[in-house]
Amino acid sequence: MEYSEKQVQIMEKAEKLFAEKGFDGTSVRDISEAADVNVAMISYYFGSKEKLMEAMFHHRGQDLRIQLENIIHNKGLTSLQKVEKLIDDYTERIFKKQFFHKIMIREQMVNNAGPIAKQIFLLKQTNQVLINQLISEGQKKGDFKKNIDVSLLMMTLVGTTSQLVTAQHFYKEIHQLQALSDEEFEKLIRKKLSHYLKVLFKAILVYEG
Amino acid sequence: MEYSEKQVQIMEKAEKLFAEKGFDGTSVRDISEAADVNVAMISYYFGSKEKLMEAMFHHRGQDLRIQLENIIHNKGLTSLQKVEKLIDDYTERIFKKQFFHKIMIREQMVNNAGPIAKQIFLLKQTNQVLINQLISEGQKKGDFKKNIDVSLLMMTLVGTTSQLVTAQHFYKEIHQLQALSDEEFEKLIRKKLSHYLKVLFKAILVYEG
DNA sequence: GTTTAAATTAAACGTTTGTTTAAATTTGCG
DNA sequence: CGCAAATTTAAACAAACGTTTAATTTAAAC
């Protein structure tokens, strides 16, 4: 199923507003105003505000899955290089889709059984299975040490990135970087984060404590 | 300023609801029902729903600051032991006040200039300064390596913990731990998290890559 | 016991909410 | 063009929202 130009326009404006003010903090009139359409168009195109959110998850759902298969099956890379590529891919993906990522963070806090919670769960599960593969491969080769808690490692990847994305204005202020433009600042923290996570993962995966 | 028994009762019920459904997703009637008081009591005691939230931050604000001074000035501990104690204190504190912590995660996403955002910023800043002290002390002693990005290290601490707290139902399902009681499960993940973070911090702080 | 203040209540307030309606306009097609 | 379907509109809808009101009950002080 594809979405028309108008539908995408509404979804993208809604995405920004949901990220900033939350689902319940955003009214359909806020969305219609931002998307420059009549209020009724949201019901007309999506059925309801709730279903607009679901459509958004469907629309973005494709982009979410880390392209891990490509990384895992790339014969030219060492296990550690694969992990480093995973970090680059993941952080880039999150920063590019930060509005949607913020919405996901909010939604995963709500422990319900709706279709959105299901989609988030499936995504997490799939990523976990693939990262499990990647780590065990490195362990078999002797590149990584044993006793790695992959779940917690994932939480560090996801959590550290989320923390930087959601609290970036705090980071900006604490480090006195207000002079930087948004683009410069984002470029800076992305680079710092990526480098930091690579050092961190290497330390965890290969350091014999 | 102190809060009466009734005020605390309202704040604690509101805390749970705000954590689960968000500020805008929770109505004053939800709160009054949960706290078993009349709707008007919220305005009567706090002035407004917004001010109830501010009172909650004031009420919990005390508990938030990590008792870092005590740790830092404890002469009997090595730098690494201090970091380990910091991790124990922090994770215990977050798990004990997880409702409030979830509210903070939501609120820090909203980049406004209100009193709540200010309080979160001050808290982060204070903690950062103190952890900076702790790390530099270890570096001077030669226990920790140079070039530590303390901001990102804090984000890993906060982010990993947040991720586990907010996505614990996913963790439960993925690891097939539904049979465990809530208490048993929480005890398990707290122990795992604390141990994992200690290994991680040690690896980052002392591993010469 | 009477008085005064604090606490509690049910009801009503005016807005805002998400959604629907029915009419008007635009679009695509023969 | 002429007609039908799709789109867009302003208006209206009931329900829920946060807050206020005014009356009542409870508690405390004298």
Side-chain angles (χ1 to χ4, degrees):
Chain A
M1 196 212 284
E2 274 301 318
Y3 295 102
S4 72
E5 204 175 311
K6 208 120 227 173
Q7 283 176 303
V8 172
Q9 170 191 346
I10 293 169
M11 282 193 284
E12 286 178 355
K13 295 293 185 179
E15 191 180 43
K16 185 170 190 293
L17 288 168
F18 287 164
E20 284 166 357
K21 316 201 289 172
F23 181 79
D24 293 304
T26 306
S27 73
V28 289
R29 281 168 183 84
D30 289 337
I31 299 167
S32 71
E33 206 174 309
D36 202 33
V37 296
N38 190 277
V39 218
M41 302 307 288
I42 285 155
S43 297
Y44 178 75
Y45 275 127
F46 299 98
S48 69
K49 186 188 172 189
E50 187 73 40
K51 283 181 186 164
L52 159 61
M53 176 85 133
E54 287 171 28
M56 227 168 71
F57 268 77
H58 180 257
H59 178 57
R60 288 280 188 235
Q62 329 296 350
D63 313 336
L64 285 174
R65 217 157 274 119
I66 309 169
Q67 256 40 30
L68 263 173
E69 283 91 347
N70 305 340
I71 298 173
I72 287 180
H73 299 119
N74 189 329
K75 301 261 180 186
L77 300 177
T78 66
S79 298
L80 192 60
Q81 283 172 331
K82 287 181 184 178
V83 169
E84 288 179 346
K85 186 142 178 42
L86 157 69
I87 290 167
D88 276 333
D89 277 25
Y90 179 77
T91 53
E92 189 190 340
R93 181 168 266 101
I94 298 299
F95 269 92
K96 271 193 185 158
K97 300 279 190 305
Q98 21 183 318
F99 290 149
F100 186 70
H101 185 70
K102 283 187 188 179
I103 296 171
M104 288 229 321
I105 292 172
R106 276 189 223 258
E107 284 304 308
Q108 82 173 355
M109 286 201 247
V110 185
N111 186 6
N112 64 11
I116 289 170
K118 250 178 213 165
Q119 196 168 340
I120 296 177
F121 176 75
L122 275 174
L123 174 70
K124 282 187 183 289
Q125 206 175 27
T126 307
N127 282 341
Q128 165 117 19
V129 167
L130 288 168
I131 294 177
N132 265 330
Q133 261 183 255
L134 183 49
I135 304 290
S136 357
E137 185 201 284
Q139 286 173 325
K140 273 177 203 151
K141 280 194 193 169
D143 296 336
F144 300 154
K145 65 169 179 171
K146 310 280 174 194
N147 298 324
I148 304 289
D149 192 320
V150 181
S151 268
L152 285 174
L153 201 62
M154 260 185 72
M155 293 212 180
T156 293
L157 175 65
V158 176
T160 305
T161 310
S162 298
Q163 191 58 25
L164 189 57
V165 167
T166 60
Q168 51 185 293
H169 50 286
F170 289 122
Y171 188 97
K172 203 172 194 171
E173 223 172 307
I174 283 177
H175 289 85
Q176 306 275 359
L177 298 171
Q178 294 99 330
L180 266 57
S181 74
D182 285 355
E183 292 76 23
E184 288 171 326
F185 174 67
E186 189 177 310
K187 202 181 160 187
L188 174 77
I189 57 173
R190 270 182 59 177
K191 198 182 160 187
K192 269 187 182 291
L193 173 69
S194 183
H195 173 260
Y196 164 79
L197 284 175
K198 285 173 191 169
V199 172
L200 187 150
F201 268 67
K202 192 181 171 191
I204 286 282
L205 290 172
V206 311
Y207 171 51
E208 294 294 340
Chain B
M1 193 214 285
E2 273 301 317
Y3 295 102
S4 72
E5 205 176 311
K6 208 118 225 177
Q7 282 175 304
V8 172
Q9 170 191 345
I10 292 169
M11 282 194 284
E12 285 180 355
K13 294 294 185 179
E15 192 180 43
K16 186 170 190 292
L17 289 167
F18 287 165
E20 285 166 357
K21 317 200 291 172
F23 181 79
D24 293 305
T26 305
S27 73
V28 289
R29 283 169 182 84
D30 289 337
I31 299 167
S32 71
E33 206 174 310
D36 202 34
V37 296
N38 190 278
V39 217
M41 300 308 287
I42 286 154
S43 297
Y44 179 75
Y45 275 127
F46 300 98
S48 68
K49 186 187 170 188
E50 187 74 39
K51 282 181 185 164
L52 159 60
M53 176 84 133
E54 287 171 28
M56 225 168 73
F57 268 78
H58 179 259
H59 178 57
R60 288 279 188 236
Q62 328 297 350
D63 314 334
L64 285 175
R65 217 158 275 118
I66 310 169
Q67 255 42 27
L68 262 173
E69 283 90 348
N70 305 340
I71 298 173
I72 287 179
H73 299 118
N74 188 330
K75 302 261 180 187
L77 301 177
T78 66
S79 298
L80 192 61
Q81 283 172 330
K82 287 180 186 178
V83 169
E84 288 179 345
K85 186 144 177 41
L86 157 70
I87 290 168
D88 276 333
D89 277 27
Y90 179 77
T91 53
E92 188 189 341
R93 181 168 267 100
I94 298 300
F95 269 93
K96 271 193 184 159
K97 299 276 189 307
Q98 33 183 308
F99 290 149
F100 187 69
H101 185 70
K102 283 188 187 178
I103 296 172
M104 288 229 321
I105 292 173
R106 279 201 167 94
E107 283 305 307
Q108 83 172 355
M109 287 201 246
V110 186
N111 187 6
N112 64 11
I116 288 170
K118 249 177 214 166
Q119 196 168 337
I120 296 177
F121 176 75
L122 275 174
L123 174 70
K124 281 184 183 294
Q125 206 174 27
T126 307
N127 282 341
Q128 166 117 20
V129 167
L130 289 168
I131 295 178
N132 265 330
Q133 262 184 253
L134 182 51
I135 304 290
S136 353
E137 184 202 284
Q139 286 173 325
K140 273 176 202 150
K141 280 194 193 169
D143 296 335
F144 300 154
K145 63 170 180 170
K146 310 279 175 195
N147 299 322
I148 304 289
D149 191 321
V150 181
S151 268
L152 286 174
L153 201 61
M154 259 185 73
M155 293 211 179
T156 293
L157 175 64
V158 177
T160 305
T161 309
S162 298
Q163 191 58 27
L164 189 58
V165 167
T166 60
Q168 51 184 293
H169 50 287
F170 289 122
Y171 189 97
K172 202 172 195 171
E173 223 173 307
I174 284 177
H175 288 85
Q176 305 276 1
L177 298 171
Q178 294 99 330
L180 265 58
S181 74
D182 285 356
E183 291 77 22
E184 287 171 327
F185 175 68
E186 191 178 308
K187 201 180 160 188
L188 175 78
I189 57 174
R190 269 182 59 177
K191 197 181 160 189
K192 270 187 181 292
L193 173 68
S194 182
H195 173 259
Y196 164 80
L197 283 174
K198 286 173 190 170
V199 172
L200 187 150
F201 269 66
K202 191 180 171 192
I204 286 282
L205 290 171
V206 311
Y207 171 53
E208 295 292 342

